[in-house]
Amino acid sequence: MARYKIAWLPGDGIGPEVLEAARTVLDASGLEAEYLPGDIGWNMWLKEGNTLPERTVELLKRSDCAIFGAVTSKPPSDVMQELPPRFRGKGIRYSSALIRIRQQFDLFTCLRPCKAYPGNPGNLKEGTDIVIFRENTEGIYCGAEWPRVPQEFFAVRGMERVSPNAAVSVRAITRRASQNIARAAFEHAEKHGRKKITAVHKANVLRATDGLFLDAVREIGREHPKIRLEEMYIDNCCLQLVLDPLKFDIILTTNLFGDILSDLCAGLVGGLGFAPSANIGKSWALFEPAHGSAPDIAGKYVANPIAAILSAAMMAGWLGEKKKAHDIEGAVAAVIREGKVRTPDMGGGSGTLEMGRAVSEKLR
Ligand code: IPM
Ligand code: MG
């Protein structure tokens, strides 16, 4: 019997093809897993009026962890326009499947490594090696939103400046989630010999929420005196990352800032094709390339599967298969170094599955 039960969630757009390539690599690594396919994403919104059907949630609960390709998500006006008429008028509300899983399974850590692999033509600065720890369950993603300001809000200080014809999103930051993500970052630093954590925030403006975040980070920092804690405003952080990414080691931040910074950092190391990620909770995790579904190139098998393959390596590592994780990453690094197989984003003409095969061959 297979050792691990892994929920397999291809999703939308290029999701299925990048996972197909990742699968050849997982098989070549010899990971003893059973892969259980699950429905998810925009295609399910169109078919069932639900991006994350209950049967998929049940499947996730039965699995050891999940790997996910990509999902399409769209702004509210498009979402309702594209909902098939038979689902309309039933009070169906759209929500992102990915955000729902992160919140429902309390996957409070979003871990996103950004590494400049030698030989990658897209590297802006050789030697870049940054790990982002993004809080993954709350902040402005908490889901408390109003398309019109509720009347009772007008009693709150600051609201007198807001016209009733406005929309409101709440940015909720808890001490618990801030401590959780800070602990994950400090423990990772200790375990992997990293020296410095940069806590990124905007506490000079978002005084209540980022004030609390920073406070929780400092508190956890005191428990880890060997790791240097640096604090930086989000705007300055963007500037410094572009000027000198080598100054950074681990970045620790809240949800939306982490979303933005992880795209920025991916841009430093060749783009989203090189940006894997892990969503980790206490005992379950979901692995996914940080890229979206790229509908413009979907079905053409030209997407770079490296982000998905590196996500699969992170999954093997999380399952305790450290050697396999290390070998897969080494195989990716070797293919990039050789430069013979390159997808179009790297300036080459190789396809998605060709890249998957090249990495797999290094493992055999
Ligand atoms: C990511 C994505 C998601 C996010 C979207 C698809 C909801 O951009 O994983 O970075 O904003 O977290
Ligand atoms: Mg993003």
Side-chain angles (χ1 to χ4, degrees):
M1 220 184 69
R3 206 162 174 161
Y4 308 109
K5 276 191 173 30
I6 298 175
W8 192 259
L9 310 173
D12 304 311
I14 59 168
E17 45 205 281
V18 295
L19 276 202
E20 194 180 329
R23 179 63 174 278
T24 60
V25 175
L26 283 167
D27 289 347
S29 80
L31 188 77
E32 291 171 48
E34 182 188 350
Y35 297 96
L36 314 164
D39 295 323
I40 193 166
W42 184 253
N43 65 87
M44 282 293 115
W45 178 249
L46 300 180
K47 264 187 232 147
E48 300 185 11
N50 185 358
T51 59
L52 182 67
E54 201 41 43
R55 61 181 182 281
T56 303
V57 175
E58 291 308 313
L59 168 75
L60 300 183
K61 288 183 185 158
R62 279 189 281 118
S63 68
D64 294 307
C65 63
I67 186 162
F68 166 79
V71 283
T72 304
S73 51
K74 298 193 185 189
S77 45
D78 306 347
V79 155
M80 280 317 184
Q81 222 161 47
E82 292 187 44
L83 182 68
R86 65 180 183 283
F87 298 122
R88 293 195 194 155
K90 293 188 175 161
I92 289 180
R93 283 184 52 193
Y94 174 86
S95 61
S96 155
L98 187 53
I99 295 174
R100 264 159 81 189
I101 295 175
R102 288 171 180 166
Q103 292 175 345
Q104 190 171 338
F105 288 79
D106 197 18
L107 307 178
F108 52 84
T109 298
C110 185
L111 198 176
R112 298 190 153 171
C114 306
K115 198 191 278 188
Y117 288 96
N120 185 349
N123 289 341
L124 286 192
K125 188 119 180 182
E126 299 302 332
T128 300
D129 183 7
I130 302 168
V131 181
I132 296 177
F133 278 79
R134 162 190 182 190
E135 202 293 322
N136 212 21
T137 58
E138 55 175 32
I140 200 82
Y141 281 59
C142 74
E145 297 203 296
W146 292 263
R148 284 271 182 289
V149 183
Q151 198 49 46
E152 58 270 32
F153 278 30
F154 287 103
V156 177
R157 186 169 58 93
M159 285 301 293
E160 65 278 2
R161 285 190 297 273
V162 178
S163 125
N165 187 6
V168 177
S169 299
V170 167
R171 184 179 198 259
I173 300 276
T174 65
R175 185 169 292 275
R176 177 182 164 273
S178 305
Q179 288 169 331
N180 280 345
I181 189 66
R183 213 174 276 120
F186 279 97
E187 286 172 2
H188 183 95
E190 285 177 349
K191 211 163 140 194
H192 295 88
R194 288 186 176 260
K195 305 274 181 281
K196 184 175 79 170
I197 292 181
T198 307
V200 179
H201 64 93
K202 191 76 183 179
N204 54 338
V205 177
L206 305 171
R207 308 186 78 82
T209 49
D210 268 359
L212 172 59
F213 172 71
L214 210 51
D215 210 46
V217 168
R218 288 179 186 173
E219 176 195 331
I220 302 298
R222 283 192 288 276
E223 298 167 12
H224 303 268
K226 290 209 183 95
I227 309 296
R228 196 173 128 215
L229 174 62
E230 168 186 74
E231 295 170 7
M232 201 178 276
Y233 292 125
I234 176 68
D235 45 352
N236 183 32
C237 180
C238 294
L239 172 70
Q240 299 303 327
L241 275 167
V242 173
L243 292 180
D244 188 4
L246 303 187
K247 279 202 294 222
F248 291 85
D249 192 346
I250 288 179
I251 288 177
L252 164 61
T253 191
T254 50
N255 206 341
L256 180 63
F257 293 165
D259 179 45
I260 297 167
L261 288 180
S262 56
D263 272 32
L264 194 163
C265 288
L268 301 173
V269 299
L272 284 170
F274 298 87
S277 79
N279 303 269
I280 308 172
K282 289 259 188 283
S283 59
W284 192 81
L286 169 81
F287 300 83
E288 44 138 1
H291 60 64
S293 63
D296 51 327
I297 55 164
K300 296 184 179 156
Y301 282 87
V302 292
N304 186 345
I306 287 180
I309 295 170
L310 291 172
S311 302
M314 291 171 84
M315 176 173 80
W318 182 84
L319 284 167
E321 303 279 353
K322 305 278 184 234
K323 177 160 187 325
K324 290 188 171 49
H326 183 260
D327 289 351
I328 297 174
E329 198 200 351
V332 168
V335 171
I336 295 174
R337 201 180 327 109
E338 282 174 12
K340 282 190 255 168
V341 178
R342 284 181 172 170
T343 42
D345 60 319
M346 303 171 78
S350 304
T352 307
L353 299 181
E354 215 177 313
M355 178 61 87
R357 275 195 300 274
V359 175
S360 303
E361 270 154 30
K362 296 277 174 221
L363 289 166
R364 293 215 173 89

